[in-house]
Coordinates of all heavy atoms in Angstrom, one line a residue:
M1 N 113.4 134.7 104.3 CA 113.9 135.1 103.0 C 112.7 135.4 102.1 O 111.7 134.7 102.1 CB 114.7 134.0 102.3 CG 115.3 134.4 101.0 SD 116.5 133.2 100.3 CE 117.9 133.6 101.3
K2 N 112.8 136.4 101.3 CA 111.7 136.8 100.4 C 111.7 136.0 99.1 O 112.7 135.5 98.7 CB 111.8 138.3 100.1 CG 111.5 139.2 101.2 CD 111.5 140.7 100.8 CE 111.3 141.5 102.0 NZ 111.3 142.9 101.7
T3 N 110.5 135.9 98.5 CA 110.4 135.2 97.2 C 109.7 136.2 96.2 O 108.8 136.9 96.5 CB 109.4 134.0 97.4 OG1 110.0 133.1 98.4 CG2 109.3 133.2 96.1
A4 N 110.3 136.1 95.0 CA 109.7 137.0 93.9 C 109.2 136.1 92.8 O 109.9 135.1 92.4 CB 110.8 137.9 93.4
L5 N 108.0 136.4 92.3 CA 107.5 135.7 91.1 C 107.7 136.7 90.0 O 107.2 137.8 90.0 CB 106.0 135.5 91.4 CG 105.2 135.0 90.2 CD1 105.7 133.7 89.6 CD2 103.7 134.9 90.5
I6 N 108.4 136.3 88.9 CA 108.7 137.1 87.8 C 108.2 136.5 86.5 O 108.6 135.3 86.2 CB 110.2 137.4 87.7 CG1 110.7 137.9 89.1 CG2 110.5 138.5 86.6 CD1 112.2 137.9 89.2
T7 N 107.5 137.2 85.7 CA 107.0 136.7 84.5 C 107.9 137.1 83.3 O 108.6 138.1 83.5 CB 105.6 137.1 84.1 OG1 105.6 138.6 84.1 CG2 104.6 136.7 85.2
G8 N 108.0 136.3 82.3 CA 108.8 136.7 81.1 C 110.3 136.7 81.4 O 111.0 137.6 80.9
T9 N 110.8 135.7 82.1 CA 112.2 135.7 82.5 C 113.1 135.1 81.5 O 114.3 135.0 81.8 CB 112.3 135.0 83.8 OG1 111.8 133.7 83.7 CG2 111.7 135.7 84.9
T10 N 112.6 134.7 80.3 CA 113.5 134.1 79.3 C 114.4 135.1 78.6 O 115.4 134.8 77.9 CB 112.8 133.2 78.3 OG1 111.8 134.0 77.7 CG2 112.1 132.1 79.0
S11 N 114.0 136.4 78.7 CA 114.8 137.5 78.0 C 114.4 138.8 78.5 O 113.5 139.0 79.3 CB 114.6 137.4 76.5 OG 113.2 137.7 76.2
G12 N 115.2 139.8 78.1 CA 114.8 141.2 78.4 C 114.7 141.6 79.9 O 115.5 141.2 80.7
F13 N 113.7 142.5 80.1 CA 113.5 143.0 81.5 C 113.3 141.9 82.5 O 113.8 141.9 83.6 CB 112.3 144.0 81.6 CG 112.6 145.3 80.9 CD1 111.9 145.7 79.8 CD2 113.6 146.1 81.4 CE1 112.2 146.9 79.2 CE2 113.8 147.4 80.8 CZ 113.1 147.7 79.7
G14 N 112.5 140.9 82.2 CA 112.2 139.8 83.1 C 113.4 139.1 83.5 O 113.6 138.8 84.7
K15 N 114.3 138.8 82.6 CA 115.6 138.1 82.9 C 116.5 139.0 83.7 O 117.0 138.5 84.7 CB 116.3 137.7 81.6 CG 117.5 136.9 81.8 CD 118.1 136.5 80.4 CE 119.4 135.7 80.7 NZ 120.0 135.3 79.4
A16 N 116.5 140.3 83.4 CA 117.3 141.2 84.2 C 116.8 141.3 85.6 O 117.6 141.3 86.6 CB 117.3 142.6 83.5
F17 N 115.5 141.4 85.8 CA 114.9 141.4 87.1 C 115.3 140.2 87.9 O 115.6 140.2 89.1 CB 113.4 141.5 87.1 CG 112.8 142.9 87.0 CD1 112.0 143.3 85.9 CD2 113.1 143.9 87.9 CE1 111.5 144.6 85.9 CE2 112.7 145.2 87.9 CZ 111.8 145.5 86.8
A18 N 115.2 139.0 87.3 CA 115.5 137.7 87.9 C 116.9 137.7 88.5 O 117.1 137.4 89.6 CB 115.2 136.6 87.0
F19 N 117.8 138.1 87.6 CA 119.2 138.1 88.1 C 119.5 139.1 89.2 O 120.2 138.9 90.1 CB 120.2 138.4 86.9 CG 120.5 137.1 86.1 CD1 119.7 136.7 85.1 CD2 121.6 136.3 86.4 CE1 119.9 135.5 84.4 CE2 121.9 135.2 85.8 CZ 121.0 134.8 84.7
R20 N 118.9 140.3 89.1 CA 119.1 141.3 90.1 C 118.5 140.9 91.4 O 119.1 141.1 92.5 CB 118.4 142.7 89.6 CG 118.6 143.8 90.6 CD 120.0 144.1 90.9 NE 120.1 145.2 91.8 CZ 121.0 145.3 92.8 NH1 121.8 144.3 93.1 NH2 121.0 146.3 93.6
L21 N 117.3 140.3 91.4 CA 116.7 139.9 92.7 C 117.4 138.7 93.3 O 117.5 138.6 94.5 CB 115.2 139.6 92.4 CG 114.3 140.8 92.1 CD1 112.9 140.5 91.8 CD2 114.4 141.8 93.3
A22 N 117.9 137.8 92.4 CA 118.7 136.7 92.9 C 120.0 137.3 93.6 O 120.4 136.8 94.7 CB 119.1 135.8 91.8
Q23 N 120.6 138.3 93.0 CA 121.7 138.9 93.6 C 121.4 139.5 94.9 O 122.2 139.5 95.9 CB 122.2 140.0 92.6 CG 123.5 140.7 93.1 CD 123.9 141.8 92.1 OE1 123.1 142.5 91.6 NE2 125.2 142.0 91.9
L24 N 120.2 140.0 95.1 CA 119.7 140.6 96.4 C 119.3 139.5 97.4 O 118.8 139.8 98.5 CB 118.6 141.6 96.1 CG 119.0 142.8 95.4 CD1 117.7 143.7 95.0 CD2 120.0 143.7 96.2
G25 N 119.3 138.2 97.0 CA 119.0 137.2 97.9 C 117.6 136.6 97.8 O 117.2 135.9 98.7
Y26 N 116.8 137.1 96.9 CA 115.4 136.6 96.7 C 115.4 135.2 96.2 O 116.1 134.9 95.2 CB 114.6 137.4 95.8 CG 114.1 138.7 96.3 CD1 115.0 139.8 96.6 CD2 112.7 138.9 96.6 CE1 114.5 141.0 97.1 CE2 112.3 140.1 97.1 CZ 113.1 141.1 97.4 OH 112.7 142.3 97.8
N27 N 114.6 134.3 96.7 CA 114.2 133.0 96.1 C 113.3 133.4 94.9 O 112.6 134.4 95.0 CB 113.5 132.1 97.0 CG 114.5 131.5 98.0 OD1 115.7 131.2 97.7 ND2 114.1 131.3 99.2
L28 N 113.3 132.6 93.8 CA 112.6 133.0 92.6 C 111.6 132.0 92.2 O 111.9 130.8 92.2 CB 113.5 133.4 91.5 CG 114.6 134.4 91.8 CD1 115.6 134.5 90.6 CD2 114.0 135.7 92.0
I29 N 110.5 132.4 91.7 CA 109.6 131.7 90.9 C 109.6 132.4 89.5 O 109.2 133.5 89.4 CB 108.1 131.6 91.4 CG1 108.1 131.1 92.9 CG2 107.2 130.8 90.5 CD1 106.9 131.3 93.6
I30 N 110.1 131.7 88.5 CA 110.3 132.4 87.2 C 109.4 131.7 86.2 O 109.2 130.5 86.2 CB 111.7 132.4 86.7 CG1 112.3 131.1 86.6 CG2 112.6 133.3 87.7 CD1 113.8 131.1 86.0
T31 N 108.8 132.5 85.3 CA 107.9 132.0 84.3 C 108.4 132.4 82.9 O 109.1 133.4 82.7 CB 106.5 132.4 84.5 OG1 106.3 133.8 84.1 CG2 106.0 132.2 85.9
G32 N 107.9 131.6 81.9 CA 108.2 132.0 80.5 C 107.5 131.0 79.6 O 107.1 129.9 80.0
R33 N 107.4 131.3 78.3 CA 106.8 130.5 77.3 C 107.7 129.4 76.8 O 107.2 128.4 76.3 CB 106.2 131.3 76.2 CG 105.1 132.2 76.6 CD 104.6 133.1 75.4 NE 105.7 134.0 75.1 CZ 105.9 134.5 73.9 NH1 105.2 134.1 72.9 NH2 106.9 135.3 73.7
R34 N 109.0 129.7 76.7 CA 109.9 128.7 76.1 C 110.7 128.0 77.2 O 111.5 128.5 77.9 CB 110.9 129.5 75.3 CG 110.3 130.4 74.2 CD 110.5 129.9 72.8 NE 111.6 129.1 72.5 CZ 112.7 129.4 71.8 NH1 112.8 130.6 71.3 NH2 113.6 128.5 71.5
E35 N 110.3 126.7 77.4 CA 110.9 125.9 78.5 C 112.4 125.8 78.4 O 113.1 125.8 79.4 CB 110.2 124.5 78.5 CG 110.7 123.7 79.7 CD 109.9 122.4 79.8 OE1 109.5 121.8 78.8 OE2 109.8 121.9 81.0
D36 N 112.9 125.6 77.2 CA 114.4 125.5 77.1 C 115.1 126.7 77.6 O 116.1 126.6 78.3 CB 114.8 125.2 75.6 CG 114.3 126.2 74.6 OD1 113.3 126.9 74.9 OD2 115.0 126.3 73.5
R37 N 114.6 127.9 77.2 CA 115.2 129.1 77.7 C 115.0 129.3 79.2 O 115.9 129.8 79.9 CB 114.7 130.3 77.0 CG 115.2 130.4 75.6 CD 114.7 131.7 74.9 NE 115.0 131.8 73.5 CZ 114.7 132.8 72.8 NH1 114.0 133.8 73.3 NH2 115.0 132.8 71.5
L38 N 113.8 129.0 79.7 CA 113.5 129.1 81.1 C 114.4 128.3 81.9 O 115.0 128.7 82.9 CB 112.0 128.7 81.3 CG 111.4 128.9 82.7 CD1 111.4 130.4 83.0 CD2 110.0 128.4 82.7
L39 N 114.6 127.0 81.5 CA 115.5 126.1 82.3 C 117.0 126.6 82.2 O 117.7 126.5 83.2 CB 115.4 124.7 81.8 CG 114.1 124.0 82.0 CD1 114.0 122.7 81.3 CD2 113.7 123.9 83.4
E40 N 117.4 127.2 81.1 CA 118.7 127.8 81.0 C 118.9 128.9 81.9 O 120.0 129.0 82.6 CB 118.9 128.2 79.5 CG 120.3 128.7 79.2 CD 120.5 129.1 77.7 OE1 120.1 128.3 76.9 OE2 120.9 130.2 77.5
V41 N 118.0 129.8 82.0 CA 118.0 131.0 82.9 C 118.1 130.5 84.4 O 118.9 130.9 85.2 CB 116.9 131.9 82.7 CG1 116.8 133.0 83.8 CG2 117.0 132.6 81.4
A42 N 117.2 129.5 84.7 CA 117.2 129.0 86.1 C 118.6 128.4 86.4 O 119.1 128.6 87.5 CB 116.1 127.9 86.2
S43 N 119.2 127.6 85.5 CA 120.5 127.0 85.7 C 121.6 128.1 85.9 O 122.4 128.0 86.8 CB 120.8 126.2 84.5 OG 122.1 125.6 84.7
E44 N 121.5 129.1 85.1 CA 122.5 130.2 85.3 C 122.4 130.9 86.6 O 123.4 131.2 87.3 CB 122.3 131.3 84.2 CG 122.8 131.1 82.9 CD 122.6 132.2 81.9 OE1 123.2 133.3 82.2 OE2 121.8 132.1 81.0
I45 N 121.2 131.1 87.1 CA 120.9 131.8 88.4 C 121.4 130.9 89.5 O 122.1 131.4 90.4 CB 119.4 132.2 88.5 CG1 119.0 133.3 87.6 CG2 119.1 132.6 90.0 CD1 117.6 133.5 87.5
R46 N 121.1 129.6 89.4 CA 121.5 128.7 90.5 C 123.0 128.6 90.5 O 123.6 128.4 91.6 CB 120.9 127.3 90.2 CG 119.4 127.2 90.5 CD 118.9 125.8 90.3 NE 117.5 125.7 90.4 CZ 116.7 125.4 89.4 NH1 117.2 125.1 88.2 NH2 115.4 125.4 89.5
H47 N 123.7 128.7 89.4 CA 125.1 128.6 89.3 C 125.8 129.8 90.0 O 126.9 129.7 90.6 CB 125.6 128.4 87.9 CG 127.1 128.4 87.7 ND1 127.8 127.2 88.0 CD2 128.0 129.3 87.3 CE1 129.1 127.5 87.8 NE2 129.2 128.7 87.3
N48 N 125.2 131.0 89.8 CA 125.8 132.2 90.3 C 125.3 132.7 91.6 O 126.0 133.5 92.2 CB 125.5 133.3 89.2 CG 126.3 133.1 88.0 OD1 127.5 133.0 88.0 ND2 125.6 132.9 86.9
Y49 N 124.2 132.2 92.1 CA 123.7 132.7 93.4 C 123.1 131.6 94.3 O 122.7 130.6 93.8 CB 122.5 133.7 93.1 CG 122.9 134.9 92.2 CD1 122.6 134.9 90.9 CD2 123.7 135.9 92.7 CE1 123.0 135.9 90.0 CE2 124.1 136.9 91.8 CZ 123.8 136.9 90.5 OH 124.2 137.9 89.7
V50 N 123.2 131.8 95.6 CA 122.7 130.8 96.5 C 121.2 131.1 96.8 O 120.9 131.7 97.8 CB 123.5 130.8 97.8 CG1 123.0 129.7 98.7 CG2 125.0 130.6 97.5
V51 N 120.3 130.8 95.8 CA 118.9 131.0 96.0 C 118.2 129.8 95.4 O 118.7 129.1 94.6 CB 118.4 132.3 95.3 CG1 119.0 133.5 95.9 CG2 118.7 132.3 93.8
E52 N 116.9 129.7 95.8 CA 116.1 128.6 95.2 C 115.4 129.2 94.0 O 115.0 130.4 94.0 CB 115.0 128.1 96.2 CG 115.7 127.4 97.4 CD 114.6 126.9 98.3 OE1 113.6 126.3 97.8 OE2 114.8 127.0 99.5
V53 N 115.3 128.4 92.9 CA 114.6 128.8 91.7 C 113.6 127.8 91.3 O 114.0 126.6 91.1 CB 115.6 129.1 90.6 CG1 114.9 129.6 89.3 CG2 116.7 130.0 91.0
F54 N 112.3 128.2 91.2 CA 111.3 127.3 90.7 C 110.8 127.8 89.4 O 110.6 129.0 89.2 CB 110.2 127.3 91.8 CG 109.0 126.4 91.4 CD1 109.1 125.0 91.5 CD2 107.8 126.9 91.0 CE1 108.1 124.2 91.2 CE2 106.8 126.1 90.7 CZ 106.9 124.7 90.8
T55 N 110.6 126.9 88.4 CA 110.2 127.4 87.1 C 108.8 126.9 86.8 O 108.3 125.9 87.2 CB 111.1 126.8 86.0 OG1 111.1 125.4 86.0 CG2 112.6 127.2 86.2
L56 N 108.1 127.8 86.1 CA 106.7 127.5 85.6 C 106.7 127.9 84.1 O 106.9 129.1 83.8 CB 105.7 128.4 86.3 CG 105.5 128.0 87.8 CD1 104.6 129.1 88.4 CD2 104.9 126.7 88.0
C57 N 106.4 127.0 83.2 CA 106.4 127.3 81.8 C 104.9 127.5 81.3 O 104.1 126.5 81.3 CB 107.0 126.1 81.0 SG 107.2 126.5 79.3
F58 N 104.6 128.7 81.0 CA 103.2 129.0 80.4 C 103.3 130.4 79.8 O 104.2 131.2 80.0 CB 102.2 128.9 81.5 CG 102.3 129.9 82.6 CD1 101.7 131.2 82.5 CD2 103.0 129.6 83.8 CE1 101.8 132.1 83.6 CE2 103.1 130.5 84.8 CZ 102.5 131.7 84.7
D59 N 102.2 130.7 79.0 CA 102.0 132.0 78.4 C 101.2 132.9 79.4 O 100.0 132.6 79.6 CB 101.4 131.9 77.1 CG 101.3 133.2 76.3 OD1 101.5 134.3 76.9 OD2 101.1 133.1 75.1
V60 N 101.8 133.9 79.9 CA 101.1 134.7 80.9 C 99.9 135.4 80.3 O 98.9 135.7 81.1 CB 102.1 135.8 81.5 CG1 102.4 136.9 80.6 CG2 101.5 136.3 82.8
E61 N 99.8 135.6 79.0 CA 98.6 136.2 78.4 C 97.4 135.3 78.5 O 96.3 135.7 78.5 CB 98.9 136.6 77.0 CG 99.8 137.8 76.8 CD 100.0 138.2 75.4 OE1 99.4 137.5 74.5 OE2 100.7 139.2 75.1
V62 N 97.7 134.0 78.6 CA 96.6 133.0 78.7 C 96.2 132.7 80.1 O 95.1 132.4 80.5 CB 97.0 131.7 78.0 CG1 95.9 130.6 78.1 CG2 97.3 132.0 76.5
F63 N 97.2 132.8 81.0 CA 97.1 132.4 82.4 C 96.8 133.6 83.3 O 97.6 134.6 83.2 CB 98.3 131.7 82.9 CG 98.2 131.1 84.3 CD1 97.6 129.9 84.5 CD2 98.8 131.7 85.3 CE1 97.5 129.3 85.7 CE2 98.7 131.2 86.6 CZ 98.0 130.0 86.8
V64 N 95.8 133.7 84.1 CA 95.5 134.8 85.0 C 95.7 134.4 86.4 O 95.1 133.4 86.8 CB 94.1 135.3 84.7 CG1 93.8 136.5 85.7 CG2 93.9 135.8 83.3
I65 N 96.4 135.1 87.2 CA 96.6 134.9 88.6 C 95.6 135.7 89.4 O 95.7 136.9 89.3 CB 98.1 135.1 89.0 CG1 99.1 134.3 88.2 CG2 98.2 134.9 90.5 CD1 100.5 134.6 88.5
S66 N 94.7 135.1 90.0 CA 93.7 135.9 90.8 C 94.3 136.2 92.2 O 95.2 135.6 92.6 CB 92.4 135.0 91.0 OG 92.7 133.9 91.8
N67 N 93.6 137.3 92.8 CA 94.1 137.7 94.1 C 93.9 136.5 95.1 O 94.7 136.3 96.0 CB 93.2 138.9 94.6 CG 93.6 140.1 93.9 OD1 94.8 140.3 93.5 ND2 92.7 141.0 93.8
Y68 N 92.8 135.7 94.9 CA 92.6 134.6 95.8 C 93.8 133.6 95.7 O 94.3 133.2 96.8 CB 91.3 133.9 95.4 CG 91.0 132.6 96.2 CD1 90.6 132.7 97.5 CD2 91.3 131.4 95.6 CE1 90.4 131.5 98.2 CE2 91.1 130.2 96.3 CZ 90.6 130.3 97.6 OH 90.4 129.1 98.3
K69 N 94.2 133.3 94.6 CA 95.3 132.4 94.4 C 96.6 132.9 95.0 O 97.3 132.2 95.7 CB 95.5 132.0 92.9 CG 94.5 131.1 92.4 CD 94.7 130.7 91.0 CE 93.6 129.9 90.4 NZ 93.7 129.7 89.0
C70 N 96.8 134.2 94.8 CA 98.0 134.8 95.4 C 97.9 134.8 96.9 O 98.9 134.5 97.6 CB 98.2 136.3 94.9 SG 98.8 136.4 93.2
D71 N 96.8 135.1 97.5 CA 96.6 135.1 98.9 C 96.8 133.7 99.5 O 97.5 133.5 100.5 CB 95.2 135.5 99.3 CG 95.0 137.0 99.2 OD1 96.0 137.7 99.0 OD2 93.8 137.4 99.1
K72 N 96.3 132.7 98.8 CA 96.5 131.3 99.2 C 98.0 130.9 99.2 O 98.5 130.3 100.1 CB 95.7 130.3 98.3 CG 94.3 130.2 98.6 CD 94.1 129.5 99.9 CE 92.8 129.0 100.1 NZ 92.5 128.5 101.5
F73 N 98.7 131.3 98.1 CA 100.1 131.0 98.0 C 100.9 131.7 99.1 O 101.7 131.0 99.8 CB 100.7 131.5 96.7 CG 102.1 131.0 96.4 CD1 102.3 129.7 95.9 CD2 103.2 131.8 96.8 CE1 103.6 129.3 95.7 CE2 104.4 131.3 96.6 CZ 104.7 130.1 96.1
Y74 N 100.5 132.9 99.4 CA 101.2 133.6 100.5 C 101.0 132.9 101.8 O 101.9 132.7 102.6 CB 100.6 135.0 100.6 CG 101.1 135.8 101.8 CD1 102.4 136.3 101.8 CD2 100.4 136.0 102.9 CE1 102.9 137.0 102.9 CE2 100.8 136.6 104.0 CZ 102.1 137.1 104.0 OH 102.6 137.8 105.1
K75 N 99.8 132.4 102.1 CA 99.5 131.8 103.4 C 100.2 130.4 103.5 O 100.7 130.0 104.5 CB 98.0 131.6 103.5 CG 97.3 132.9 103.8 CD 95.8 132.7 103.9 CE 95.1 134.1 104.0 NZ 93.7 134.0 103.8
L76 N 100.2 129.7 102.3 CA 100.8 128.4 102.4 C 102.3 128.4 102.5 O 102.9 127.6 103.2 CB 100.5 127.6 101.0 CG 99.1 127.1 100.9 CD1 98.9 126.6 99.5 CD2 98.8 126.1 101.9
N77 N 103.0 129.4 101.9 CA 104.4 129.5 102.0 C 104.9 130.4 103.1 O 106.1 130.4 103.4 CB 105.0 130.0 100.6 CG 104.8 128.9 99.6 OD1 105.5 127.9 99.6 ND2 103.9 129.2 98.7
G78 N 104.1 131.3 103.6 CA 104.5 132.2 104.7 C 105.6 133.1 104.3 O 106.4 133.6 105.1
S79 N 105.7 133.5 103.0 CA 106.7 134.4 102.6 C 106.1 135.5 101.7 O 105.0 135.3 101.2 CB 107.8 133.7 101.8 OG 107.2 133.0 100.6
C80 N 106.8 136.5 101.6 CA 106.3 137.7 100.8 C 106.6 137.4 99.3 O 107.6 137.0 98.9 CB 107.1 138.9 101.2 SG 106.7 140.4 100.2
I81 N 105.6 137.7 98.5 CA 105.8 137.5 97.0 C 105.7 138.9 96.4 O 104.8 139.7 96.6 CB 104.6 136.7 96.5 CG1 104.7 135.3 97.1 CG2 104.7 136.6 95.0 CD1 104.5 134.2 96.2
T82 N 106.7 139.2 95.5 CA 106.7 140.4 94.7 C 106.5 139.9 93.3 O 107.1 139.1 92.8 CB 108.1 141.0 94.8 OG1 108.4 141.2 96.2 CG2 108.1 142.4 94.1
L83 N 105.5 140.6 92.6 CA 105.1 140.2 91.3 C 105.5 141.2 90.3 O 105.1 142.4 90.4 CB 103.6 139.9 91.2 CG 103.0 139.6 89.9 CD1 103.6 138.3 89.3 CD2 101.5 139.6 89.9
F84 N 106.4 140.8 89.4 CA 106.8 141.7 88.3 C 106.2 141.2 87.0 O 106.6 140.1 86.6 CB 108.3 141.8 88.1 CG 109.0 142.4 89.3 CD1 109.6 141.6 90.3 CD2 109.1 143.8 89.4 CE1 110.2 142.1 91.4 CE2 109.7 144.3 90.5 CZ 110.3 143.5 91.5
C85 N 105.3 141.9 86.4 CA 104.7 141.5 85.1 C 105.5 142.3 84.0 O 105.4 143.5 84.0 CB 103.3 141.8 85.0 SG 102.3 140.7 86.0
T86 N 106.2 141.6 83.2 CA 107.0 142.3 82.2 C 106.3 142.3 80.9 O 105.6 141.3 80.5 CB 108.4 141.5 82.0 OG1 108.1 140.2 81.7 CG2 109.2 141.6 83.3
P87 N 106.3 143.4 80.2 CA 105.6 143.6 78.9 C 106.2 142.7 77.8 O 107.4 142.6 77.8 CB 105.7 145.1 78.6 CG 106.9 145.5 79.3 CD 107.1 144.6 80.5
K88 N 105.3 142.3 76.9 CA 105.7 141.6 75.7 C 106.2 142.6 74.7 O 105.7 143.7 74.7 CB 104.6 140.8 75.2 CG 104.8 139.4 74.9 CD 103.5 138.7 74.4 CE 103.8 137.8 73.3 NZ 102.7 137.1 72.9
K89 N 107.2 142.3 73.9 CA 107.6 143.2 72.8 C 106.5 143.4 71.9 O 105.7 142.5 71.5 CB 108.8 142.6 72.1 CG 110.1 142.5 72.9 CD 111.2 141.9 72.1 CE 112.4 141.7 72.9 NZ 113.5 141.1 72.2
S90 N 106.3 144.7 71.5 CA 105.3 145.0 70.5 C 105.6 144.4 69.1 O 106.8 144.3 68.8 CB 105.1 146.5 70.4 OG 106.2 147.1 70.1
K91 N 104.6 144.0 68.4 CA 104.8 143.4 67.1 C 105.0 144.4 66.0 O 104.5 145.4 66.0 CB 103.6 142.4 66.8 CG 103.6 141.3 67.8 CD 102.4 140.4 67.5 CE 102.3 139.3 68.6 NZ 101.2 138.4 68.4

């Protein structure tokens, strides 16, 4: 089974991607800045789809995922990771 890492999943495009990929059977690693919303989205996905959902609460603008870390995660989990970086709304 494939795994997708999706940033900004508490609303907008990120949330829509998360639900669509769950519908397609992807296990998810979802991130967001607001823990309450993140946990709510994870709960909704788990309720509607038979997939695993892991949450990470952080601001993606502050946190940088290096290629080395992604390679390590891929090797440790033995699964394909698809990364969707969703843009922040302009101010």
Side-chain angles (χ1 to χ4, degrees):
M1 184 171 285
K2 292 184 180 181
T3 301
L5 169 63
I6 308 166
T7 60
T9 55
T10 56
S11 65
F13 288 114
K15 184 176 180 179
F17 273 125
F19 276 86
R20 180 62 178 135
L21 291 175
Q23 183 181 37
L24 294 173
Y26 281 73
N27 287 321
L28 304 175
I29 303 167
I30 61 174
T31 74
R33 292 178 292 149
R34 304 249 340 246
E35 187 173 29
D36 57 333
R37 288 186 184 178
L38 189 62
L39 295 175
E40 185 178 307
V41 169
S43 179
E44 277 185 69
I45 292 170
R46 288 183 188 115
H47 179 75
N48 290 300
Y49 305 101
V50 182
V51 296
E52 292 182 43
V53 182
F54 181 74
T55 61
L56 295 172
C57 186
F58 64 89
D59 188 342
V60 74
E61 288 184 357
V62 177
F63 187 82
V64 177
I65 301 174
S66 69
N67 287 333
Y68 174 77
K69 288 181 183 172
C70 287
D71 288 344
K72 278 292 197 191
F73 188 86
Y74 173 77
K75 289 175 187 171
L76 287 174
N77 290 291
S79 60
C80 177
I81 299 224
T82 306
L83 176 61
F84 294 99
C85 289
T86 55
K88 232 176 138 174
K89 291 181 184 177
S90 55
K91 296 177 182 178

